[in-house]
Amino acid sequence: MKHGKKYIESAKAIESTKLYEAEEAIALAIDGAKAKFDETIELHVRLGVDPKQADQQVRGVIVLPNGTGKDVKVLVLAKGEKADIAKEAGADFVGAEEMIQKIQTENWFDYDVIITTPDMMGLVGRIGKILGPKGLMPNPKSGTVTMDVAKAIKDTKAGKVEYRLDKNAIIHCPIGKKSFGTEKIKENYEALMEAIVKAKPAAAKGLYLRSVAIASTMGPGVKINAKF
């Protein structure tokens, strides 16, 4: 892979084999974010589990102390009173069958998260093959299938993130923006890491935290000496 001049310049300040303390690693990641936009800072954690085994899954949600810095657009699929509550709670889009139809016929994805009430899941299931690949399928484990739509909207807007393993046993998760500064990102980092450690499956054997790294959207990764 070819990298641009800004990436190469940022990479010179980082020792590729060194494990940095969290605060220094975060500062280096921020310094390495040289794009003109406010880059996202992402955490990448490789775990010593087998993602193919049902009893070794690692998945959960957490509201980061300082949010993600992203303006999250929320679609709520609900009817009646719950739809009215969703509108009052600040949902960007609210509807039922007509919204599902819009997704099916217009390939409509002008939102980041879908929250739905349990009674709507039968209809939502019909577009599971459309939503699934985009990571938009509501799920009780992520708090997006719930009767308490107001709380779900509030948490999502406040910076709730879902962490889950990919097929390579790695968790990728945003923990803020470059503009947050080192202290706020460190608080988000510690909150997310504590959640991941607490989510360790009983079936996991050996070293759980295999590697931890942080990077900006366009910058190089920095390895962290994770102490949890």
Side-chain angles (χ1 to χ4, degrees):
M1 182 183 295
K2 291 185 178 180
H3 294 294
K5 291 181 180 179
K6 291 181 180 179
Y7 180 100
I8 294 172
E9 181 184 340
S10 297
K12 289 179 180 178
I14 301 164
E15 293 181 41
S16 61
T17 58
K18 180 177 177 178
L19 294 179
Y20 290 88
E21 296 305 308
E23 190 166 342
E24 185 179 3
I26 292 166
L28 285 167
I30 291 173
D31 288 343
K34 299 185 182 299
K36 293 181 180 179
F37 62 93
D38 191 9
E39 293 184 49
T40 296
I41 305 298
E42 298 181 351
L43 185 66
H44 307 277
V45 184
R46 187 165 68 90
L47 300 177
V49 297
D50 184 353
K52 294 179 181 178
Q53 303 300 318
D55 62 353
Q56 294 189 42
Q57 294 301 309
V58 179
R59 180 177 185 175
V61 293
I62 181 174
V63 178
L64 296 175
N66 300 299
T68 63
K70 181 179 180 180
D71 181 18
V72 182
K73 289 186 177 181
V74 177
L75 164 62
V76 175
L77 300 173
K79 296 180 179 180
E81 181 187 7
K82 294 300 181 183
D84 293 336
I85 290 172
K87 291 175 184 176
E88 292 176 8
D92 299 276
F93 309 100
V94 181
E97 289 90 348
E98 74 279 11
M99 291 296 187
I100 292 173
Q101 180 76 11
K102 186 178 176 69
I103 293 169
Q104 281 182 311
T105 59
E106 300 178 24
N107 208 32
W108 177 60
F109 297 108
D110 295 337
Y111 44 86
D112 303 294
V113 176
I114 298 177
I115 295 168
T116 183
T117 49
D119 59 294
M120 289 294 296
M121 280 305 291
L123 292 172
V124 176
R126 297 177 187 175
I127 55 173
K129 290 183 178 179
I130 299 174
L131 301 178
K134 293 184 175 293
L136 291 169
M137 188 66 183
N139 188 299
K141 292 182 179 179
S142 64
T144 49
V145 179
T146 177
M147 290 298 287
D148 194 349
V149 292
K151 183 179 185 301
I153 294 166
K154 180 182 177 182
D155 287 348
T156 300
K157 293 279 189 180
K160 183 179 75 173
V161 295
E162 180 181 8
Y163 56 90
R164 60 186 300 182
L165 289 177
D166 67 8
K167 63 181 180 180
N168 297 311
I170 300 173
I171 290 174
H172 309 273
C173 207
I175 55 171
K177 295 286 187 177
K178 173 186 176 180
S179 58
F180 278 24
T182 302
E183 186 175 340
K184 286 186 176 181
I185 291 177
K186 186 169 183 270
E187 289 175 358
N188 281 355
Y189 159 79
E190 289 174 345
L192 179 57
M193 286 299 298
E194 286 173 3
I196 291 172
V197 170
K198 286 181 180 178
K200 179 180 178 180
K205 305 298 180 184
L207 184 63
Y208 181 55
L209 296 176
R210 293 293 178 87
S211 67
V212 180
I214 190 171
S216 63
T217 306
M218 306 295 289
V222 186
K223 295 177 181 178
I224 298 177
N225 180 21
K227 298 175 182 177
F228 288 86

